[in-house]
């Protein structure tokens, strides 16, 4: 209601301002001693007066013109204030709209995280370190400032929305995304969201962390690509720290993305048709990567039509084919060279070429 009232006042002020210009032109153009002869002259004079610039090149000489000008001068502060106020209001509303992500994002080949908490922050940090673009959907305005203060807008976009699946995913440009991670902190809510999102965006790879390991098969049946039980992973790491702490520390380091040249990481690279490794044996690929980049090829992942099958340290005679993924142990300093060698960056190939 307040916005509507303000719009009416603005229109009324604009109409009144136009009437003043016409009246000044009417009276001054008929006065021989006046230098306001055209409608443009009247507009220029009123504009200079309204903005308090006052060049003095044009001015009224008739009594009627002066009276009208006095009225305009007295009212100019109000009109100018109203105009500046409306302009400021519009700019603020536009900035707020962009901040809230109401107009959506043009990100493509990105990851969507639905729900925000400390775990989401940790996942986002790893994805950003890996050079991925991420859209975060949250229903809490307080999260927005925190996210933008800690992550660059070039890589992270935030959508403030209720968790209406279809609408919030539309703003997140889910049709151009590649992966989605619901993170509501509740297995049932995560499952419901996946089922709804799957109807509209079946192409997405759904990754879900679950608290109840017994539900893993349920999530898989619902179309989840990877259902990861937090307790399973944490228990294995804790047990490893108990009897082989050095190995555990090394494994934990490998689980995180390489943030700088000294960090080590396990990465996967797609074997495109035509690159040198397509058609080579695993042994030959291993030797080439080790001798050229000091990188260890530790496995080959191949699709069987339904899922990716991981071949860990296959025989030297194992043939690497186009469409496979080569799993490598590398350091951050080799990432750029590997991207060039494979003609794509690490991760799922369709994450960059949809």
């Amino acid at each position: 209601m307040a916005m509507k009232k303000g719009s009416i006042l603005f229109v009324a002020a604009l109409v009144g301002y136009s009437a003043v210009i016409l009246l000044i032109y009417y009276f001054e153009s008929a006065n021989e001693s006046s230098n306001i002869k055209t409608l443009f002259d009247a507009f220029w004079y009123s504009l200079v007066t309204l903005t308090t610039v006052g060049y003095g090149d044009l001015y009224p000489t008739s009594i009627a013109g002066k009276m009208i000008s006095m009225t305009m001068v007295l009212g100019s502060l109000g009109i100018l204030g109203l105009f500046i106020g409306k302009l400021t209001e519009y700019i603020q509303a536009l900035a707020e709209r962009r901040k809230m992500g109401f107009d959506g994002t043009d990100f493509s080949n990105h990851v969507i995280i639905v729900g925000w908490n400390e775990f989401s922050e940790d996942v986002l940090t790893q994805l950003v370190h890996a050079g991925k673009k991420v859209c975060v959907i949250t229903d809490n305005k307080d999260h927005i400032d925190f996210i933008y203060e800690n992550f660059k807008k070039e890589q992270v976009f935030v959508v403030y929305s209720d968790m209406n699946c279809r609408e919030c995913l539309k703003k997140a440009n889910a049709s151009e995304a590649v992966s989605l991670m619901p993170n509501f902190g509740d297995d049932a809510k995560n499952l419901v969201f996946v089922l709804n999102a799957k109807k509209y965006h079946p192409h997405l790879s759904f990754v879900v962390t679950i608290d109840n390991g017994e539900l893993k098969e349920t999530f898989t049946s619902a179309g989840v690509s990877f259902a990861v039980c937090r307790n399973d992973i944490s228990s294995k790491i804790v047990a490893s720290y108990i009897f082989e702490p050095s190995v555990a520390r090394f494994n934990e380091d490998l689980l995180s993305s390489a943030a700088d040249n000294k960090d080590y990481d396990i990465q996967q690279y797609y074997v495109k048709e035509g690159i040198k490794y397509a058609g080579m044996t695993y042994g030959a690929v291993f030797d080439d990567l080790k001798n050229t980049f000091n990188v260890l090829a530790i496995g080959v992942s191949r699709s069987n039509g339904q899922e990716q099958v991981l071949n860990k340290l296959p025989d030297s005679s194992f043939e690497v084919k186009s469409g496979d993924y080569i799993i490598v142990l590398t350091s951050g300093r080799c990432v750029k060279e590997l991207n060039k060698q494979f003609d794509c960056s690490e991760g799922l190939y369709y994450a960059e070429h949809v």
Side-chain angles (χ1 to χ4, degrees):
M1 182 64 106
M3 242 180 122
K4 187 175 180 182
K5 185 177 179 182
S7 298
I8 293 174
L9 289 173
F10 180 74
V11 172
L14 190 61
V15 171
Y17 177 62
S18 300
V20 167
I21 293 175
L22 291 173
L23 287 172
I24 291 176
Y25 167 67
Y26 176 77
F27 288 110
E28 290 302 308
S29 61
N31 191 336
E32 293 182 2
S33 62
S34 175
N35 55 8
I36 301 176
K37 296 298 184 182
T38 66
L39 192 60
F40 179 78
D41 289 340
F43 172 74
W44 175 252
Y45 162 72
S46 63
L47 181 64
V48 169
T49 303
L50 182 65
T51 56
T52 68
V53 175
Y55 287 123
D57 54 339
L58 296 175
Y59 50 86
T61 56
S62 68
I63 295 177
K66 290 179 179 180
M67 294 295 292
I68 295 169
S69 296
M70 286 173 61
T71 303
M72 183 181 68
V73 169
L74 293 175
S76 65
L77 293 177
I79 295 174
L80 185 61
L82 180 62
F83 175 76
I84 292 175
K86 291 299 292 183
L87 182 62
T88 302
E89 182 182 314
Y90 173 78
I91 293 173
Q92 288 177 341
L94 185 62
E96 184 73 5
R97 186 176 182 85
R98 288 179 177 175
K99 177 183 175 182
M100 299 297 173
F102 291 156
D103 295 325
T105 179
D106 59 357
F107 277 4
S108 60
N109 310 319
H110 58 293
V111 178
I112 300 173
I113 297 177
V114 184
W116 183 258
N117 53 29
E118 289 184 9
F119 182 72
S120 300
E121 182 184 352
D122 292 340
V123 174
L124 177 58
T125 300
Q126 296 301 320
L127 290 171
V128 168
H129 284 167
K132 306 302 179 185
K133 291 184 177 180
V134 184
C135 179
V136 178
I137 301 175
T138 178
D139 57 0
N140 189 329
K141 288 184 178 180
D142 295 336
H143 296 156
I144 300 174
D145 288 331
F146 176 83
I147 294 172
Y148 280 138
E149 285 172 3
N150 291 277
F151 300 95
K152 295 180 179 180
K153 292 184 178 181
E154 292 78 11
Q155 281 190 279
V156 178
F157 185 88
V158 184
V159 173
Y160 171 69
S161 172
D162 58 24
M163 297 309 174
N164 177 300
C165 181
R166 190 170 189 177
E167 187 60 30
C168 69
L169 290 182
K170 182 179 179 181
K171 294 176 182 177
N173 200 20
S175 61
E176 298 292 330
V178 294
S179 298
L180 184 148
M181 186 193 82
N183 185 41
F184 294 102
D186 181 271
D187 289 345
K189 290 181 179 179
N190 286 339
L191 181 59
V192 170
F193 192 90
V194 168
L195 291 171
N196 289 326
K198 196 75 176 176
K199 290 187 293 186
Y200 306 117
H201 304 284
H203 71 285
L204 288 174
S205 172
F206 292 88
V207 180
V208 182
T209 56
I210 56 178
D211 295 319
N212 187 351
E214 295 179 358
L215 294 176
K216 190 169 184 177
E217 187 175 338
T218 302
F219 275 88
T220 303
S221 300
V224 172
S225 306
F226 303 100
V228 183
C229 182
R230 302 186 199 193
N231 291 336
D232 286 349
I233 294 177
S234 59
S235 62
K236 290 176 182 177
I237 292 177
V238 170
S240 185
Y241 267 113
I242 292 173
F243 70 92
E244 48 184 8
S246 296
V247 174
R249 190 176 295 111
F250 187 64
N251 284 334
E252 192 171 359
D253 181 54
L254 292 178
L255 285 173
S256 61
S257 298
D260 57 46
N261 290 341
K262 296 181 179 179
D263 290 340
Y264 284 86
D265 192 9
I266 294 179
Q267 301 177 347
Q268 64 179 48
Y269 286 90
Y270 185 75
V271 180
K272 297 171 66 175
E273 188 173 352
I275 74 163
K276 65 182 295 185
Y277 297 135
M280 289 176 61
T281 63
Y282 168 74
V285 172
F286 184 95
D287 290 340
D288 186 80
L289 288 172
K290 179 66 174 67
N291 296 330
T292 307
F293 306 106
N294 197 27
V295 168
L296 299 179
I298 58 176
V300 177
S301 177
R302 177 173 296 169
S303 173
N304 63 4
Q306 295 181 328
E307 62 180 356
Q308 291 291 132
V309 178
L310 179 60
N311 299 278
K312 305 172 187 176
L313 295 174
D315 292 337
S316 297
S317 59
F318 182 91
E319 183 182 359
V320 176
K321 300 178 180 178
S322 60
D324 290 345
Y325 286 95
I326 297 178
I327 316 301
V328 300
L329 173 59
T330 181
S331 64
R333 69 174 65 90
C334 300
V335 172
K336 289 184 178 179
E337 288 81 0
L338 288 173
N339 290 344
K340 185 176 181 181
Q341 182 78 351
F342 284 90
D343 193 27
C344 63
S345 60
E346 63 160 312
L348 295 174
Y349 178 62
Y350 61 76
E352 297 204 344
H353 304 271
V354 175

